Amino acid sequence: MRRRHFLSLTASAAAGATLPGPDAASRAITRSGNVTEPRVPPPFELDEVTVADLQAGMASGRWTSAALAEMYLWRIEQVDRRGPNVNAVLEANPDALAIAAERDAERRAGRVRGPLHGVPVLIKDNIDTGDRMLTSAGSLALMTSTPRDAFIVRRLRDAGAVLLGKTNLSEWANFRSTRSSSGWSARGGQTKNPYALDRNPCGSSSGTGAAIAANFAAVGIGTETDGSIVCPAHANGLVGIKPTIGLVSRTGIVPISHSQDTAGPMARTVADAVVMLAALAGPDPDDPATTGARGRIPDWTAALAGAALRGRRLGVARQMFGFNPHVDRTLERGLAALRDGGAELIDIELPTRSQFGDSEYEVLLYEFKADLERYLAARGAAAPYKTLAQLIEFNERTRDREMPYFGQEIFEMSVKKGPLTDKAYTDAVAKNARLTRTDGIDAAVRAHRLDAIVAPTGGPAWPTDLINGDHFGGGSSAMAAVAGYPNITVPAGQVFGLPIGLSFFGAAFSEERLIGIAAGFERVLDGEGRAAPTFRESVGL
């Protein structure tokens, strides 16, 4: 069984109203509505800006929130929907400019809610928003609005963020077919990797990954079951934080598995990801798992300062290297930078790392059916289909649009599963906990007195193949994902111009320590970890 079965994947299509933009720049890349060469995007004032840059610009009067929203909407119109046509944003929020104007009025009145005040944010289209945008999980079966915001969306609004739009995702977070292409959905089509447009953006949060890399916003939100934050972050040259299960609420998010699902931030810098995480995290009375978050949310920004690497003990999971010599060479330079920064590196083994694939899959098949049907019931009239069996029938009835390239084998396996009281399920849950926590991450951290475990996030992005599906190289997401433990990926360089990330994962609720290490790694690389996308047609072009 391949890990692709549980990677959430996203793709996005140009949907929604025409977006505003300067006429001169528009004419530079279009002629009579057709894309012309060159496909390189026009210069953009907000290229590679950070959240801190945006706040400073709004504080100085250089920009307003409304101006920022309009510039990002223009960027999406030009680059996502015309040429190079990254295809990462499903729809723009029709209320974005009005919301931004409200944040500007608050700023003029002396009220600034925090570091996200007035900042445009993109979110994945499996996260409910109680507005005029749809929440579809990429499926034509859910092309309806939802009655209320997800808990994390309410937190974003309270923090002053401007919801700019929704990014596409692999349909049903890529838990539908064993032969799917990451980044494809019936609603949105195929998202492209902005570093090489014929390459895959990876993971079910691929729309968010490609969009933030392409500067359609400074920050965004993805979700992960196994790899779907860290893989698209890695493949698109971003920082991605997959939090401990229970740190961030899942209420109002289309589910796969309550054992492994979580939302998390994706950004171009560790600092920007931390700002987003601080806004998202917190206990939700409707998500019992988040009761563990009480008292576990420090001021993570403090971890960004200082020499965070000095004295840190990092376990290098050598078993997870070796799948690609180019990746190994790139990451060896990253490991050397960690040593130069003062970290102590210890080669370790994770003997259980390949022993829980079948039990992980068993848990996901059981929980998908149970959790999805619970979500659909809670969505009420906004979800015309209430059972997995009804969705299977819908897909068959609309096969020409829903299944032109691949089927629904995972749906068909999941629908046959019984209740969560089945012994097969409870045994698999217990096995996962033992192999990934007790005998896995916890054992390694305790035996070697580790602050974090270090491993390659993945390989270079593969060519998108709608006919045959994905072909992953290597990766390291599974153990932290199944354990429900935190994982942070940081850009560590490029292979043939394609981004490569280094992952840092550790014990439950060790985000503060991991953030300090990730920020220290980013600092010692001194700008060498991330390069802006070049929108090549293909590697070598």
Side-chain angles (χ1 to χ4, degrees):
M1 181 195 62
R2 291 178 295 171
R3 187 168 56 87
R4 57 165 304 179
H5 288 148
F6 7 96
L7 288 177
S8 315
L9 308 153
T10 93
S12 86
T18 299
L19 303 170
D23 289 341
S26 176
R27 285 195 299 270
I29 63 169
T30 62
R31 183 186 301 122
S32 301
N34 297 319
V35 176
T36 65
E37 297 297 340
R39 293 168 65 87
V40 177
F44 182 51
E45 185 177 351
L46 303 179
D47 265 342
E48 302 297 298
V49 300
T50 66
V51 169
D53 294 333
L54 295 175
Q55 283 299 334
M58 287 187 283
S60 70
R62 176 181 179 183
W63 300 310
T64 63
S65 177
L68 293 176
E70 187 166 1
M71 283 190 282
Y72 279 126
L73 290 172
W74 173 80
R75 172 77 168 184
I76 293 167
E77 174 69 18
Q78 299 304 309
V79 179
D80 202 47
R81 305 188 178 187
R82 298 186 182 186
N85 186 22
V86 177
N87 201 34
V89 179
L90 274 175
E91 63 178 320
N93 185 355
D95 300 316
L97 296 179
I99 295 169
E102 292 173 1
R103 300 293 84 80
D104 287 332
E106 289 177 349
R107 186 180 294 273
R108 289 193 297 271
R111 182 190 178 195
V112 175
R113 304 185 188 201
L116 283 179
H117 187 100
V119 174
V121 172
L122 287 167
I123 68 172
K124 186 177 177 180
D125 183 42
N126 60 347
I127 303 171
D128 288 346
T129 55
D131 52 23
R132 291 193 286 166
M133 292 189 290
L134 308 181
T135 303
S136 70
S139 171
L140 303 179
L142 285 185
M143 291 285 288
T144 54
S145 297
T146 53
R148 61 178 182 171
D149 286 340
F151 182 83
I152 61 171
V153 171
R154 294 203 303 272
R155 288 188 68 86
L156 283 174
R157 294 193 200 274
D158 290 345
V162 176
L163 268 61
L164 191 68
K166 288 197 171 181
T167 57
N168 196 11
L169 66 161
S170 302
E171 190 167 321
W172 298 109
N174 208 33
F175 205 71
R176 196 195 83 185
S177 173
T178 59
R179 295 172 59 87
S180 59
S181 171
S182 292
W184 186 92
S185 75
R187 181 184 178 194
Q190 179 67 52
T191 298
K192 302 171 186 176
N193 189 309
Y195 288 84
L197 298 170
D198 66 342
R199 297 266 158 172
N200 198 272
C202 192
S204 76
S205 305
S206 52
T208 302
I212 303 307
N215 288 285
F216 300 155
V219 286
I221 299 177
T223 66
E224 175 163 328
T225 304
D226 184 342
S228 284
I229 288 174
V230 296
C231 186
H234 140 86
N236 292 279
L238 302 179
V239 174
I241 300 180
K242 197 285 289 186
T244 303
I245 299 298
L247 191 64
V248 174
S249 167
R250 286 85 55 86
T251 303
I253 301 176
V254 182
I256 291 178
S257 161
H258 62 265
S259 294
Q260 295 180 209
D261 289 351
T262 183
M266 300 171 72
R268 291 187 294 275
T269 68
V270 175
D272 283 359
V274 167
V275 166
M276 286 289 286
L277 182 63
L280 298 176
D284 169 15
D286 294 326
D287 184 352
T290 63
T291 58
R294 296 184 186 279
R296 294 182 180 269
I297 305 176
D299 178 10
W300 288 309
T301 58
L304 298 173
L309 294 178
R310 189 158 303 282
R312 295 298 190 185
R313 291 175 60 86
L314 305 180
V316 181
R318 287 292 179 184
Q319 298 157 295
M320 296 179 178
F321 289 73
F323 59 86
N324 184 300
H326 303 293
V327 172
D328 285 351
R329 282 193 292 272
T330 299
L331 294 187
E332 285 299 336
R333 292 193 291 271
L335 296 178
L338 288 169
R339 290 191 194 93
D340 291 344
E344 181 181 359
L345 272 56
I346 304 104
D347 286 354
I348 66 166
E349 291 189 0
L350 296 168
T352 63
R353 73 181 185 93
S354 60
Q355 299 176 16
F356 53 85
D358 290 342
S359 55
E360 176 185 12
Y361 200 33
E362 184 80 345
V363 168
L364 298 185
L365 289 172
Y366 268 97
E367 291 187 356
F368 179 65
K369 178 184 176 182
D371 294 355
L372 179 64
E373 291 184 353
R374 187 179 302 112
Y375 166 85
L376 294 172
R379 189 159 161 169
Y385 305 98
K386 298 295 189 236
T387 68
L388 182 54
Q390 290 173 343
L391 291 170
I392 290 171
E393 192 279 330
F394 171 85
N395 289 339
E396 289 292 347
R397 193 170 66 250
T398 58
R399 174 174 283 273
D400 60 331
R401 293 183 293 162
E402 278 288 351
M403 298 191 291
Y405 303 111
F406 47 84
Q408 54 181 341
E409 302 87 358
I410 296 176
F411 272 25
E412 291 163 350
M413 287 186 280
S414 179
V415 78
K416 296 175 183 177
K417 296 298 182 182
L420 300 187
T421 53
D422 280 1
K423 188 174 186 300
Y425 168 74
T426 57
D427 285 352
V429 169
K431 181 180 180 181
N432 286 347
R434 176 174 59 84
L435 293 175
T436 65
R437 297 177 189 172
T438 309
D439 297 342
I441 294 172
D442 292 340
V445 167
R446 184 174 57 253
H448 299 284
R449 296 179 289 112
L450 300 177
D451 293 295
I453 297 169
V454 184
T457 309
W462 60 90
T464 294
D465 187 344
L466 288 168
I467 298 173
N468 298 302
D470 291 332
H471 41 97
F472 293 96
S476 61
S477 67
M479 186 166 277
V482 177
Y485 288 0
N487 190 1
I488 302 178
T489 182
V490 180
Q494 298 80 40
V495 169
F496 298 107
L498 299 172
I500 298 296
L502 190 65
S503 281
F504 303 89
F505 56 96
F509 295 104
S510 61
E511 278 84 357
E512 184 174 20
R513 185 179 304 117
L514 295 181
I515 286 166
I517 294 167
F521 178 58
E522 183 182 62
R523 189 176 301 119
V524 296
L525 288 182
D526 193 24
E528 295 298 316
R530 170 179 162 79
T534 54
F535 303 94
R536 293 173 296 168
E537 292 287 346
S538 183
V539 171
L541 297 180

